[in-house]
């Protein structure tokens, strides 16, 4: 299964710039002057070369876009689900499909006009056929403006995605917002995740690395999850759910026993039980945090029982 380096995807230019790039390349790469005294056959070849060259240019540029953007079916399920959560899989496929259609249509326009140019019987007619071919190609690409703009936004966002290796030793930090996941991440690794005294400071997945007994571990800090049905969860929470569902990792479930995060121990235990199916076949540890504010000995019997029940599972 290929691993994609999303940072290497080339910039997708806006439709207007795209047209300028291709036409100026045609201008530079082909002869520009029809000399007096040329016979009709030579004039035809002059303009046919221009149309062919332009069509080949479009084909090359659009093929580069289609090849560099990852195919949802070819990448690791973690990344394909993450793409679906962040950009909507159908919209993404539609934009790439339109690029593919545009490429095929431009090839067909090039072939059709080259066929017509073979029968051009004068300089004027050949020139007009060449103009019509270029015009149709440019109009077609102008219509792809929204798709090109969307793909450029996706590219910018993908280049900022962390480089997560789905197949290496991984620790996954999860729990309610503001329970201390990012603080633990900063202590364990050299990552510098923002820590603030309010919920949802972490809005995306962060990756750090640490060495333990000569083995390299990947640590993933996930955004906080709230205890509510899956369909009500927002994009930030769904990134955590995607990581929990698809990454083979040891899960560290963080519990704030001081309840300063704004959620009681009972609520934190309820979230643990609701996302428990995501922990199947994964080693899991319950981490009791903020014991300097409230010691374990200060917990009442019910709270202690909730923690013991989570630990026993």
């Amino acid at each position: 299964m290929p691993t994609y380096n999303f940072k290497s995807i080339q910039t997708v230019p806006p439709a207007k710039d795209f047209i300028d790039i291709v036409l100026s390349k045609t201008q530079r790469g082909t002869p520009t002057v029809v000399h007096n005294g040329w016979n009709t056959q030579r004039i035809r070849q002059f303009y046919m070369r221009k149309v062919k060259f332009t069509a080949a240019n479009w084909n090359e540029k659009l093929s580069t876009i289609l090849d560099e953007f990852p195919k949802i079916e070819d990448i690791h399920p973690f990344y394909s689900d993450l793409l679906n959560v962040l950009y909507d899989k159908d919209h993404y496929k539609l934009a790439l499909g339109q690029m593919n259609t545009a490429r095929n249509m431009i090839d067909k326009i090039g072939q059709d006009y080259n066929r017509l140019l073979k029968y051009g019987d004068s300089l004027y007619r050949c020139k007009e056929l060449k103009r019509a071919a270029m015009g149709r190609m440019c109009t077609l690409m102008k219509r792809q403006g929204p798709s090109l703009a969307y793909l450029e936004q996706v590219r910018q966002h993908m280049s900022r995605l962390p480089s997560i290796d789905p197949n290496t030793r991984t620790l996954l930090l999860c729990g309610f917002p503001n329970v201390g996941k990012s603080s633990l991440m900063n202590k364990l690794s050299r990552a510098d995740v923002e820590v603030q005294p309010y919920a949802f400071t972490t809005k995306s997945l962060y990756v750090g690395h640490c060495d333990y007994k000569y083995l390299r571990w990947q640590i993933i800090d996930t955004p906080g999850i709230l205890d509510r049905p899956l369909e009500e969860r927002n994009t930030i929470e769904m990134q955590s759910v995607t990581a929990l569902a698809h990454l083979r990792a040891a899960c560290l479930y963080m519990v704030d026993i001081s309840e300063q995060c704004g959620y009681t121990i009972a609520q934190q235990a309820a979230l643990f039980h609701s996302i428990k199916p995501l922990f199947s076949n994964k080693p899991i540890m319950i981490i009791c945090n903020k014991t300097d504010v409230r010691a374990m000995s200060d917990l009442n019997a019910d709270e202690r029982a909730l923690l013991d029940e989570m630990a026993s599972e």
Side-chain angles (χ1 to χ4, degrees):
M1 200 170 281
T3 53
Y4 276 89
N5 178 13
F6 298 131
K7 292 178 176 59
S8 66
I9 301 174
Q10 290 180 18
T11 310
V12 180
K16 187 175 180 300
D17 294 356
F18 211 162
I19 291 167
D20 291 345
I21 290 165
V22 172
L23 292 185
S24 66
K25 194 169 179 186
T26 303
Q27 188 75 359
R28 292 195 312 274
T30 55
T32 51
V33 182
V34 177
H35 293 287
N36 288 336
W38 277 10
N39 61 24
T40 313
Q41 180 60 26
R42 192 162 180 190
I43 292 169
R44 284 179 198 150
Q45 284 173 344
F46 175 88
Y47 285 114
M48 280 165 71
R49 183 176 170 186
K50 276 195 179 301
V51 173
K52 244 184 222 170
F53 190 87
T54 310
N57 253 330
W58 281 119
N59 189 306
E60 182 195 333
K61 297 279 182 199
L62 291 169
S63 297
T64 305
I65 291 174
L66 289 166
D67 293 343
E68 288 193 340
F69 276 88
K71 307 284 178 291
I72 298 274
E73 293 78 16
D74 295 348
I75 53 179
H76 191 279
F78 163 67
Y79 271 124
S80 67
D81 258 26
L82 194 60
L83 289 180
N84 189 24
V85 166
L86 295 172
Y87 322 116
D88 180 25
K89 189 158 57 178
D90 297 334
H91 194 174
Y92 177 75
K93 280 184 171 178
L94 200 65
L96 287 179
Q98 285 178 330
M99 292 298 110
N100 191 34
T101 307
R103 180 177 67 175
N104 295 338
M105 287 177 75
I106 283 174
D107 285 350
K108 190 167 186 324
I109 289 169
Q111 289 165 3
D112 290 350
Y113 276 88
N114 267 327
R115 206 171 293 128
L116 290 171
L117 275 162
K118 284 179 186 170
Y119 301 101
D121 52 7
S122 66
L123 171 61
Y124 175 75
R125 190 161 291 177
C126 289
K127 191 172 185 177
E128 287 306 298
L129 283 168
K130 187 266 302 186
R131 278 188 65 185
M134 301 282 203
R136 282 187 64 187
M137 290 178 193
C138 293
T139 305
L140 187 63
M141 281 316 293
K142 264 185 201 158
R143 289 194 192 130
Q144 304 307 320
S147 293
L148 290 167
Y150 169 76
L151 286 172
E152 173 57 13
Q153 281 183 329
V154 171
R155 183 201 69 81
Q156 287 177 7
H157 199 291
M158 283 166 87
S159 68
R160 293 195 289 270
L161 281 181
S163 306
I164 295 172
D165 182 355
N167 304 312
T168 192
R169 286 176 216 87
T170 305
L171 291 175
L172 202 57
L173 310 180
C174 56
F176 263 104
N178 214 23
V179 293
K181 299 183 295 295
S182 299
S183 302
L184 179 63
M185 167 88 157
N186 290 343
K187 287 279 182 275
L188 291 175
S189 71
R190 286 193 295 274
D192 183 20
V193 185
E194 185 184 2
V195 177
Q196 294 292 348
Y198 50 80
F200 286 116
T201 315
T202 305
K203 294 186 177 67
S204 60
L205 300 172
Y206 283 89
V207 181
H209 295 86
C210 73
D211 293 326
Y212 178 68
K213 292 190 176 176
Y214 303 108
L215 292 175
R216 172 55 59 97
W217 286 80
Q218 173 179 260
I219 307 168
I220 300 178
D221 178 19
T222 62
I225 308 174
L226 300 177
D227 187 14
R228 53 185 177 181
L230 189 68
E231 56 276 8
E232 289 179 20
R233 291 196 166 125
N234 59 29
T235 304
I236 296 174
E237 294 170 89
M238 285 305 294
Q239 291 178 62
S240 299
V241 173
T242 303
L244 284 167
H246 292 296
L247 293 177
R248 292 171 55 207
C251 300
L252 306 184
Y253 185 78
M254 309 277 292
V255 179
D256 177 2
I257 61 169
S258 71
E259 301 181 352
Q260 284 185 342
C261 63
Y263 304 97
T264 64
I265 292 177
Q267 286 175 306
Q268 295 178 63
L271 172 67
F272 175 80
H273 293 303
S274 78
I275 62 173
K276 198 166 64 177
L278 298 172
F279 298 139
S280 59
N281 303 324
K282 295 186 180 113
I284 178 156
M285 289 175 71
I286 308 297
I287 309 287
C288 293
N289 197 18
K290 305 192 185 176
T291 49
D292 53 335
V293 179
R294 185 184 184 191
M296 292 290 282
S297 54
D298 296 342
L299 298 178
N300 61 40
D302 292 345
E303 291 171 336
R304 190 74 204 221
L306 285 169
L307 291 174
D308 289 341
E309 185 192 353
M310 287 161 68
S312 65
E313 291 179 18

